Amino acid sequence: MPTNASNGQVHVIPARKGVATRVAQGQVITVINTHGTQVVDTWAFCADDIAEFMSMEHSRGAMLKVNPKNGDTLCSNRRRPMLTLIQDTSGGVHDTLIAACDRYRYQQLGHVGHHDNCTDNLATALGTVGLTPPETPSPLNLFMNIPVGEDGSVTFEAPVAGPGSYVSMCAEMDLIVAFSACPQDLIPVNGQGCVPTEAHYRIDAKAPRL
Amino acid sequence: MPTNASNGQVHVIPARKGVATRVAQGQVITVINTHGTQVVDTWAFCADDIAEFMSMEHSRGAMLKVNPKNGDTLCSNRRRPMLTLIQDTSGGVHDTLIAACDRYRYQQLGHVGHHDNCTDNLATALGTVGLTPPETPSPLNLFMNIPVGEDGSVTFEAPVAGPGSYVSMCAEMDLIVAFSACPQDLIPVNGQGCVPTEAHYRIDAKAPRL
C-alpha cells in the first residue's frame, strides 16, 4: 500500500483493478485520467470509523446539484465534509447517480464467467489495508458521463475527459480513499473503444500543476 | 405489526413516524397520501436476506431515468426486481436522489435537541419486526418533489400529490417494506405549511380502485 507521504509520487490504478490509500486531512489527492475517457469509481471512508463514508445521496442534498463541480464538497452519511474538488481539468463531467458495476451487471449484459467489477475491486482494495467494507456505498464516478435529460432520463455516454486531464480533491478529514479503474468493456462507459485502461493518482501537500 | 393478509384493510403510517410490514410476492401495496403533500420515505428488503435491499443507484441504471414512473420496476442492490409501480394517481412526482433525513440534517438546519427523522424511523420500524437494518439505504421518496434543472441543479419543492392520491406497487419478491411519514417541518418538503401528516397503506391481491 502506498504511504500517505505528500511527495507527489505517482501511483498506478491498474486497468480493471482497484487500489486504496490513506489521505490525511488537508492533503490533496489528484486522480489522473492518464489515457483519457477512463472512469474511476471513487470512495472515501472516515479513517477512524469505516461506517462513516462518502455518500452520494447526502452530497446531492448538500451541494444542491446532481454532480460536483470545482469548489463543491462531497459529504459523508453523517453529513460531514469529506472531499472538496479544488482543481478539474477534465471538462467537469462526473457522475453520482449510478451504482458501481458488479457481477450481476455483467451477467445481465450477457457475460458468462468471471468479469472484473468495481464492487469486488473495492472489497479487494480495502482488504489490502486490512479493512472490510460494511457495504458498497454508491461511488463518486469520476469522469463518468451520465447526462440527465429534461424528462429525467439518464443515458450512458463516453467520457469527455482527455488524456492526462485530472481532478484534485482536498481531504476534509483523515480518510481511506479507494479507486477502481472501471473494467466495463461491454458498453462504451470508458470510451467508444470499450478498452478499459489504467489511471494514476498522487498525493500532495497542495494542488499540483501537472 | 399488521399481517400481510391481502384484505385491503387500511393501516396508518403515523405522522412523523415509521412502520414496517411484510408483503408477499405478487401482492400489491398501496401508499395513500391521505392529506396530500406528505412525503413517504419507502424502503424494501428481501424477506429472506435483509442485506439485499431496494437500491436507488441500481434502479436508476436499470430504469434509465432519475425517478420512477408508472410501469417502472425498482431493483435491489443485487439487481433483482423488487417493486413495480402499477398505478399512480399522485401526479407521478417522486424522488430517488435525496438521502433520508437524520439527526445531522436537523442539527444543520439549526434544530436543538431531538427531532423525529426518517433514518431513526426506519430502524425503529424494522425493530418492530425483529430486524436491524444493516445500514440506511437511500430511500424511494414517494411524493417528494426534487426537480433537476438543465444545469444539474436540484431544488427542494413542495409535493404535487393531492389528498387521497396514491401509488400502488406490486411486490416482485417476498419483501419487508418500511415507510416513514417524513417529519421534516423546517423546510417545505411536506408542503408549504411545513406540517407533517399521517399517511396510510393497504395490501391487496391486486391493484385497488380507491
Side-chain angles (χ1 to χ4, degrees):
Chain A
M1 178 191 180
T3 69
N4 67 349
S6 53
N7 59 5
Q9 186 183 343
V10 175
H11 305 278
V12 69
I13 309 167
R16 313 175 70 97
K17 298 297 180 185
V19 298
T21 186
R22 292 183 188 274
V23 187
Q25 184 176 24
Q27 286 185 322
V28 174
I29 190 156
T30 297
V31 185
I32 305 164
N33 206 323
T34 311
H35 303 283
T37 71
Q38 174 62 46
V39 169
V40 180
D41 285 37
T42 300
W43 296 267
F45 298 85
C46 174
D48 295 330
D49 179 4
I50 197 172
E52 182 173 5
F53 51 78
M54 186 167 68
S55 165
M56 296 305 103
E57 55 264 32
H58 292 80
S59 294
R60 285 187 291 264
M63 301 186 302
L64 294 177
K65 59 186 76 166
V66 170
N67 295 323
K69 300 295 184 187
N70 205 20
D72 285 329
T73 298
L74 286 298
C75 71
S76 77
N77 55 341
R78 296 176 194 166
R79 301 185 191 264
R80 296 200 299 161
M82 293 202 109
L83 283 173
T84 299
L85 273 68
I86 60 173
Q87 195 164 255
D88 187 351
T89 72
S90 73
V93 175
H94 311 289
D95 170 67
T96 72
L97 297 176
I98 302 298
C101 62
D102 51 32
R103 65 188 71 184
Y104 314 106
R105 173 69 163 147
Y106 293 103
Q107 285 170 5
Q108 290 182 349
L109 287 171
H111 184 83
V112 177
H114 173 78
H115 194 292
D116 292 319
N117 63 81
C118 290
T119 296
D120 289 350
N121 284 350
L122 170 64
T124 302
L126 287 185
T128 66
V129 295
L131 296 171
T132 301
E135 59 171 306
T136 304
S138 198
L140 170 60
N141 296 309
L142 289 174
F143 315 117
M144 193 173 184
N145 186 3
I146 306 288
V148 179
E150 281 183 52
D151 58 353
S153 62
V154 299
T155 50
F156 287 69
E157 303 289 348
V160 303
S165 67
Y166 59 95
V167 174
S168 297
M169 299 174 285
C170 181
E172 303 289 354
M173 65 171 71
D174 291 349
L175 295 172
I176 295 157
V177 175
F179 302 113
S180 172
C182 178
Q184 176 59 268
D185 54 6
L186 302 177
I187 61 173
V189 158
N190 294 307
Q192 293 299 342
C194 290
V195 180
T197 59
E198 66 184 353
H200 290 84
Y201 74 92
R202 50 185 285 168
I203 300 172
D204 296 89
K206 61 180 184 178
R209 295 286 172 184
L210 306 185
Chain B
M1 178 189 182
T3 70
N4 67 347
S6 53
N7 58 5
Q9 184 182 343
V10 174
H11 305 279
V12 69
I13 309 167
R16 313 176 71 96
K17 299 297 181 186
V19 298
T21 185
R22 292 183 187 274
V23 186
Q25 184 177 24
Q27 287 185 321
V28 174
I29 189 156
T30 297
V31 185
I32 305 163
N33 206 323
T34 312
H35 304 284
T37 74
Q38 174 63 44
V39 169
V40 180
D41 285 36
T42 301
W43 296 268
F45 299 85
C46 173
D48 295 330
D49 179 4
I50 197 171
E52 181 172 7
F53 50 79
M54 186 168 68
S55 165
M56 296 304 104
E57 55 264 31
H58 292 79
S59 294
R60 284 187 292 263
M63 301 186 302
L64 295 178
K65 58 186 78 166
V66 170
N67 294 323
K69 301 293 184 186
N70 204 21
D72 285 329
T73 298
L74 287 298
C75 71
S76 78
N77 54 342
R78 296 177 194 166
R79 301 184 190 265
R80 295 200 298 162
M82 293 201 108
L83 283 173
T84 299
L85 273 68
I86 58 173
Q87 194 165 256
D88 188 350
T89 72
S90 73
V93 176
H94 311 290
D95 169 68
T96 72
L97 299 176
I98 301 299
C101 62
D102 51 33
R103 64 187 71 182
Y104 313 107
R105 173 70 164 147
Y106 293 104
Q107 286 170 6
Q108 290 181 350
L109 288 171
H111 185 82
V112 176
H114 173 78
H115 194 291
D116 291 319
N117 63 81
C118 290
T119 296
D120 288 350
N121 284 350
L122 171 64
T124 302
L126 287 186
T128 65
V129 295
L131 296 171
T132 301
E135 59 173 306
T136 305
S138 197
L140 170 60
N141 295 309
L142 289 175
F143 315 117
M144 193 174 184
N145 186 3
I146 307 288
V148 179
E150 283 184 50
D151 59 353
S153 62
V154 300
T155 50
F156 288 70
E157 302 289 347
V160 302
S165 66
Y166 60 93
V167 174
S168 296
M169 298 173 287
C170 181
E172 303 289 353
M173 64 172 72
D174 290 350
L175 295 172
I176 296 157
V177 174
F179 302 113
S180 173
C182 178
Q184 176 59 268
D185 54 6
L186 302 177
I187 61 173
V189 159
N190 295 306
Q192 293 299 342
C194 290
V195 179
T197 59
E198 67 185 352
H200 291 82
Y201 73 92
R202 52 185 283 167
I203 299 172
D204 294 271
K206 59 181 184 177
R209 296 286 172 183
L210 307 185

